[in-house]
Amino acid sequence: DAGVTQTPRHEVAEKGQTIILKCEPVSGHNDLFWYRQTKIQGLELLSYFRSKSLMEDGGAFKDRFKAEMLNSSFSTLKIQPTEPKDSAVYLCASSLAGGAEQYFGPGTRLTVL
Amino acid sequence: TQTVSQSDAHVTVFEGDSVELRCNYSYGGSIYLSWYIQHHGRGLQFLLKYYSGNPVVQGVNGFEAEFSKSDSSFHLRKASVHWSDSAVYFCAGDSGGSNAKLTFGKGTKLSVKS
């Protein structure tokens, strides 16, 4: 039974570049979440989809962060343009329905130089 | 505003000791609380969740948590820890229904010494 898959596991970008992170949720799950994790801020919600519809886009992250769910089994998070402060671990999670436990991927560690 | 707070950034115990990791919350309405564990370099894994009813919730690997409305708390406990329990533990809350997003505490790093 495949869990949540995230690619790449590590990404290094120059300031100003565009990067795209990918996520495949658990098959059959309806909810998909993107989080950013840093030591200082902890876990912050970037985007939340339910049945491919965007439910929340994380307010402060709107301008340079864009998550999309092209189909029920694939989501992307685009950061454009990247800044050094975007260096963090980006986690994708999915769940069967509202309120059910969330299954997390291993994360993508992004370093912006 | 919904907040979840974990007062201890780091807890150190010896193998075989009991441990309690603290979580307090502030929510305007209904709240459903969870605990997640994160081993180094990995994603988060679900431990347990309180919905309603019996305030003591049993989770995986011998963990349990107790919900207290009067104390606004949801502390995680384990009677006898193993070195493999060393990880970061996150308390999280959601308001249920159509809004499934989690609000996380900052996490408590548990170090188990042998």
Side-chain angles (χ1 to χ4, degrees), chain A residues 9 31 33 35 37 40-43 45 48 50 55-56 91 98-102 104-106, chain B residues 36 38 40-46 49 51 90 94 96-102 104-106:
Chain A
R9 292 294 310 275
D31 288 356
F33 307 84
Y35 295 95
Q37 184 176 27
I40 295 180
Q41 298 295 333
L43 283 146
L45 180 73
Y48 162 32
R50 168 162 293 175
M55 303 294 288
E56 189 157 335
L91 293 166
E101 64 183 90
Q102 292 186 18
F104 283 78
Chain B
Y36 286 78
Q38 185 178 34
H40 182 69
R42 311 274 296 272
L44 281 70
Q45 288 178 279
F46 174 80
K49 182 169 185 173
Y51 290 92
F90 292 94
D94 68 83
S98 61
N99 189 347
K101 72 169 189 178
L102 290 172
F104 286 92
K106 289 291 179 72

Side-chain angles (χ1 to χ4, degrees), chain B residues 59-78:
Chain B
V60 297
N61 295 334
F63 285 98
E64 67 173 32
E66 183 166 4
F67 175 77
S68 172
K69 191 171 182 179
S70 59
D71 293 339
S72 298
S73 68
F74 189 59
H75 302 328
L76 182 71
R77 300 188 294 247
K78 186 167 183 178

Side-chain angles (χ1 to χ4, degrees), chain B residues 9-83:
Chain B
H10 200 166
V11 171
T12 300
V13 296
F14 285 94
E15 205 166 18
D17 284 352
S18 63
V19 71
E20 179 177 86
L21 305 181
R22 292 181 291 190
C23 172
N24 290 90
Y25 65 88
S26 173
Y27 260 64
S30 300
I31 183 172
Y32 303 93
L33 292 155
S34 310
W35 278 96
Y36 286 78
I37 180 174
Q38 185 178 34
H39 287 103
H40 182 69
R42 311 274 296 272
L44 281 70
Q45 288 178 279
F46 174 80
L47 279 180
L48 50 78
K49 182 169 185 173
Y50 172 75
Y51 290 92
S52 64
N54 187 342
V56 179
V57 184
Q58 301 295 326
V60 297
N61 295 334
F63 285 98
E64 67 173 32
E66 183 166 4
F67 175 77
S68 172
K69 191 171 182 179
S70 59
D71 293 339
S72 298
S73 68
F74 189 59
H75 302 328
L76 182 71
R77 300 188 294 247
K78 186 167 183 178
S80 177
V81 296
H82 186 262
W83 64 267

Side-chain angles (χ1 to χ4, degrees), chain A residues 56-76:
Chain A
E56 189 157 335
D57 63 4
F61 297 97
K62 275 184 183 178
D63 58 345
R64 295 182 300 107
F65 291 73
K66 185 176 176 62
E68 290 185 310
M69 198 152 185
L70 304 177
N71 56 57
S72 60
S73 59
F74 186 70
S75 177
T76 58

